[in-house]
Amino acid sequence: MIGFRPRVAASLVLAALVLSLRPVLASPGPAGSARVVGGRPVTAGRYPFLVSLQRVGATGAAAHFCGGSLVANVWILTAAHCLQGQTPAGLRVVVGATRLSAGDGQVRRPAEIRIDPAYDGDAAHGADVALIRLSAPVEGITPVEPVRPEERARWEPGDTATVVGWGVTSEAGTMASDDLLAARVPIQPDVAMTAADAYGDSFRPSDMVGAGPVEGGSDACFGDSGGPLLVGRGSTLRQIGIVSFGLGCGRPGHPGVYSRLGEGRVRAFVDSLVPAPASTGVERRP
Ligand code: ARG
């Protein structure tokens, strides 16, 4: 699709620059102000497995730049485009925070970054998935489980999913949100995403799933990348996608694009590194 890919690339670069230059810790934002691309604040503790990936500057200050999710006690799932060119030494991982400036959550250092070898540097080509192995396990937080193969019926087009993150609250936004926000987004049929007036060939159903209202208004945005797309709640909560890209944010006819975690190549990469959960999650209460 003419004009699409360059704009995505430009957006990614812009997001990376802007978010890394502005420490979120200094940006609480007025309470009750209009936030998001259609989201609302999340109750503390609702998504304890949510991860803020932060760049550590020379002064030791840390700035949020991408989301992620705890999928095992030493593994963080995120997007490949978040980690390209990053080294473990330049990063820290905060697990279980809600308001970033509050300084809560468990801080860990990456031991190792694993980017899907099929990722070629362009999220619109697919394979936008990566894992971070932590130098020490996270304690007392139940990881989120990628949706099970036998649960395919739980993420059909038309079903409502939830995207969560600290990303900017409008397409023109420059500052990460201090509060964790969530937006409800309907899962789109693949044919709606590959339509010529949507993403055309830049949407690859083998590696991607689309979610967002056709009329726009609710979406992930810059800084949400790497974070989870979720279905269900309590013991049935599952991750079905990873925030990857979009044309702008919340625009009509251009729902958000997520790495397809439920099946296919993206899932195979995750399964090749992360051990399956030991239990079925029944100890977690709704
Ligand atoms: N690539 C963006 C990031 O790095 C996320 C874009 C998601 N955009 C969207 N419209 N759903 O944070």
Side-chain angles (χ1 to χ4, degrees):
M1 204 175 127
I2 310 285
F4 164 66
R5 222 168 271 151
R7 291 170 81 176
V8 170
S11 300
L12 294 178
V13 170
L14 185 72
L17 291 176
V18 162
L19 294 173
S20 61
L21 290 175
R22 306 199 182 204
V24 289
L25 301 179
S27 65
S33 65
R35 359 162 111 108
V36 169
V37 186
R40 61 198 149 73
V42 166
T43 313
R46 175 98 193 252
Y47 302 109
F49 51 82
L50 243 286
V51 167
S52 167
L53 298 186
Q54 304 186 350
R55 279 196 194 89
V56 184
T59 60
H64 171 91
F65 69 96
C66 264
S69 58
L70 182 76
V71 290
N73 66 2
V74 292
W75 286 106
I76 304 299
L77 180 62
T78 186
H81 81 260
C82 288
L83 293 178
Q84 263 208 322
Q86 307 279 341
T87 58
L91 295 181
R92 66 175 209 165
V93 167
V94 180
V95 188
T98 303
R99 173 168 290 181
L100 292 178
S101 63
D104 50 1
Q106 297 183 38
V107 179
R108 291 291 183 277
R109 288 289 181 168
E112 182 191 8
I113 289 173
R114 302 288 293 263
I115 295 176
D116 187 336
Y119 181 70
D120 72 357
D122 186 344
H125 292 168
D128 191 11
V129 56
L131 287 156
I132 300 171
R133 187 170 56 80
L134 303 177
S135 53
V138 169
E139 314 283 353
I141 294 178
T142 305
V144 65
E145 201 183 318
V147 71
R148 301 172 192 176
E150 68 269 23
E151 295 171 331
R152 183 63 188 82
R154 295 193 52 193
W155 52 287
E156 295 290 352
D159 293 348
T160 300
T162 301
V163 60
V164 194
W166 288 276
V168 300
T169 55
S170 77
E171 194 179 312
T174 54
M175 212 114 84
S177 171
D178 190 36
D179 287 313
L180 184 60
L181 300 177
R184 289 162 66 84
V185 284
I187 299 168
Q188 290 294 330
D190 294 339
V191 289
M193 302 298 292
T194 55
D197 57 356
Y199 292 97
D201 291 343
S202 296
F203 183 89
R204 308 210 175 172
S206 57
D207 289 27
M208 305 173 190
V209 61
V214 171
E215 69 275 17
S218 297
D219 197 5
C221 203
F222 311 119
D224 289 321
S225 277
L229 180 66
L230 303 163
V231 294
R233 55 177 61 219
S235 63
T236 68
L237 187 70
R238 300 285 187 270
Q239 183 170 354
I240 63 165
I242 303 164
V243 177
S244 181
F245 70 96
L247 178 63
C249 305
R251 294 192 196 179
H254 287 87
V257 182
Y258 298 80
S259 301
R260 193 177 194 105
L261 187 57
E263 60 192 2
R265 184 168 68 180
V266 169
R267 177 54 169 270
F269 171 74
V270 175
D271 286 348
S272 74
L273 292 173
V274 180
S279 81
T280 53
V282 284
E283 79 283 357
R284 241 191 300 164
R285 312 189 62 183

